[in-house]
Structure formats: structure tokens, C-alpha cells
Amino acid sequence: MTFSTFTAAQAAELAVVERSGFVESRHIGSAVVLDPQGSPLISLGAPEIPVFTRSSLKPLQAIAAMSLGAQLEGPAAALAAASHKCEAGHVAVVSAMLENAGLSVSDLQCPSAHPADGAFRRQLQESARARGEENTDPRSPLYFNCSGKHAAFLAAARAIGADTATYLSPEHPVQQKVAEVVTAFASEEPSAVGIDGCGAPVFALSLTGLARAIGRVIRIGSSDGDAEEAGAWAAYESEARTLTEAVFADPGTIEGHGRPNSTVIDKLGVFAKGGAEGVIVMATRSGYAVAVKCLDGSSRATGLVALTLLQWAGAFDVEPGAASASGKDTVDAVIAAITDPVTGGRDSEGRTNVVGRLELGEDIATIGERKRD
């Protein structure tokens, strides 16, 4: 039997690409916004149908590793939940995570990759040439964007005395703990388990379950510890707080300086974690959460859609201390900063010419019209 996510017939139009006054592409998908109690405020498409959560799952994987004894705090905790772009600082922290657990790069089982950060890659190449090495092509599992998560898995395995050679097996105690944490926070049993791009198990959840889970992580991670939580997720409050504080203290760790997820966290104080195949989840400190899946697998529209829906749901209106920092002008400015323009040719100064833009799709625009009315 082949399992599947929602179909095109079940999807909503999330965004369109307009070029020179002509709509040349349409992004369809599903989305949901939940209030801090987990009730839906906005629903588009089929958010009840499962999607592979991809890297949007990482906060839950990091919490699982910490709950088993992985000693992570500060940048190390954030990098356990990151899809980093391999800046020099990212690599230094992941290297230290491995060393502190008595492990090495050879223990990592994520694929080898080149550093995505050009400056760091050139630095490595220049160092290799200075040493007289013939091969100056830097490539390592350490440079893969999930290396922080893998280092956290390994640290957790070492902490409980489990085998480090099989840490990616769904039957491994670390991955069993991940499944337990996912179910607790999402209040939903995963409908499928697959293999993510990095080789780790990845779970299929409804977008509603994903939003519920990350909303809870950021809400209890931002609390003062006095709030009474009745769910199974409450047992992980300490880990959620460590993770949340680490990410907001250094937004560049979650993706990279100037990158979309890090920009949203830095400029708006909103947690953001994208994943492959057009998945993204965002959550405010008070617990509002949005999850989006673009059916064609593109991430081009996900930031625009997620932030717009959070804004229309009133999430920024009630955020403690954020009235001035997260006003409409600031949200719009951040959307502009993380959304690439549609370009064509060059202007009279030789600069790239902007000839169009990414716009909200009809199904979302209709919601906005109702809000204004």
C-alpha cells in the first residue's frame, strides 16, 4: 500500500508568481494557524492530512536528545535543531559537541557535503593550499546541514550507553525517544516513518499536529515555569526552555546570518523552522503557531504565507512586549527581506531589474479581504 499526502484537488492556492503582469506560476498547498490552546483559527486546503515534516521536526528531535542526557546548551542546543549553512561558527560548535561526547567526525552518519557558506569554504580551500595539499575540495559529514542534529543524537546515545554505530535505526533507543517526544507534543501518532535526506527517521504528521507540537515547545520554553501544563509534553519543559532560549539568544544558529528562518527569529521574535519539500512551521512565544506545506515541494512561498497568516490571525497583536517590534510595517519588511523578487534583465545602471513579484494566492487573499471587512 502506498501512503500519500493530500492531492492537488484538496489543496488551496497559496501564492502566485506574477511576471510582467502575467501570472506564470501557482503554488498550491495546505496551511493551518492555531491559537495557544491548539484551536484552529485559519485552515486552508487539507491540514488534517499527513505530510513528512522533514527538518521542521528538528526541535522535537533536539528535545529528545537532551532528555536522554545529551549535554547541550547555548549554541549547541540551537544547532541540534538547526539546518545550518555551515558558517565557521556552526562547524566549530558541532565539532565541540562531538569532542565533548568523546566522539569524532567519523561517527557522523549524515552524508558528506561541501560547506554551503562561501566564505568558510574559501577559507578551507586557502588553508589546504597553504599546507600544500593537492585536494583542496572541502567535503565532510561535518559540513552537512544536519550535522548538529546528528551530533546531538550521538551524544544522547553515548549518555545512555547505547550503540553509536546504529543511532539512525528506528529501533535505536534514541529514535524511540524521538517518536515518544513527537507523539507527546503533537498529541498525534505519526502515520508513517520514512528516511530523511540526512538518513534519520522522519515522521509524517498532519500540519495541525506539527503546528500544535512546535507551538507547545515555544510556549512552554518561553514560560516562567509557573504555568500548569497537563499534557505529556509538560515533562520536557526544561529541555524546551533550554532550546527556546538558545535559539532566541543566537538566531543565526538555526540557519545562518541573513537567512530566512534566522531573520524571522531575529527581527520578529518568532520561531521559524523550514524543511525540505515546502514545509515550514512558525510559533510565537505565546503559543500561536502556523504550519504550511507547499504541494510542489517549493519553499519559495512558505515564509510569505506563514507570516501573513500569523498576522491575519492576530498573533502579533497579543505577543507580550512585541507591540512595537512586530507591528505591520515590521512584519511586511521581514516578508520583503525573505522573499526573492521576480527579476528580468538589467536596468540602465546595470543592476538586476525587478519585473514581478510573489503574491498571495486567491484562497489566502480572500481571507485577507474578510479580515479587512
Side-chain angles (χ1 to χ4, degrees), residues 215 218-219 269-271 282-289 310 315-316 319:
I218 303 306
R219 179 164 60 85
V270 173
F271 179 80
M282 295 186 185
T284 71
R285 287 180 176 274
S286 59
Y288 283 84
L310 274 180
F316 298 115
E319 196 66 5

Side-chain angles (χ1 to χ4, degrees), residues 99-260:
E99 183 178 351
N100 291 341
L103 300 160
S104 68
V105 174
S106 63
D107 292 299
L108 292 172
Q109 293 182 23
C110 50
S112 291
H114 297 106
D117 181 69
F120 181 59
R121 184 172 179 174
R122 289 189 293 274
Q123 176 186 328
L124 293 174
Q125 290 171 327
E126 291 168 3
S127 296
R129 281 193 289 270
R131 292 192 298 269
E133 297 177 9
E134 292 185 9
N135 183 8
T136 60
D137 183 34
R139 191 177 180 86
S140 168
L142 187 62
Y143 306 147
F144 195 80
N145 69 355
C146 299
S147 63
K149 178 180 77 175
H150 282 248
F153 285 159
L154 283 164
R158 179 58 60 88
I160 61 174
D163 181 28
T164 56
T166 58
Y167 74 92
L168 293 182
S169 169
E171 288 74 40
H172 192 279
V174 171
Q175 302 305 333
Q176 290 292 302
K177 173 56 75 170
V178 172
E180 180 182 316
V181 169
V182 169
T183 300
F185 276 94
S187 293
E188 176 182 313
E189 290 282 347
S191 61
V193 181
I195 301 173
D196 212 338
C198 67
V202 63
F203 298 94
L205 296 173
S206 69
L207 287 174
T208 301
L210 175 61
R212 183 188 298 123
I214 303 305
R216 284 170 172 169
V217 168
I218 303 306
R219 179 164 60 85
I220 69 172
S222 301
S223 71
D224 57 11
D226 295 330
E228 292 187 7
E229 297 288 344
W233 64 90
Y236 304 100
E237 182 177 346
S238 175
E239 292 83 3
R241 183 174 294 108
T242 296
L243 176 62
T244 300
E245 290 176 352
V247 171
F248 284 112
D250 191 356
T253 53
I254 207 70
E255 186 176 12
H257 294 86
R259 301 292 299 178

Side-chain angles (χ1 to χ4, degrees), residues 4 33-34 57 65 70 90 135 137 148 199 231 262 264 286 296 309 330 364:
S4 171
V33 183
L34 305 181
L57 188 74
H90 297 152
N135 183 8
D137 183 34
S262 294
V264 171
S286 59
D296 62 5
L309 291 178
T330 303
I364 291 185

Side-chain angles (χ1 to χ4, degrees), residues 22 27 32 62 67 72 102 115 123 128 142 174 180 211 230 232 304 337 355:
F22 181 90
H27 292 297
V32 66
S67 74
L72 306 175
Q123 176 186 328
L142 187 62
V174 171
E180 180 182 316
L304 164 68
V355 298

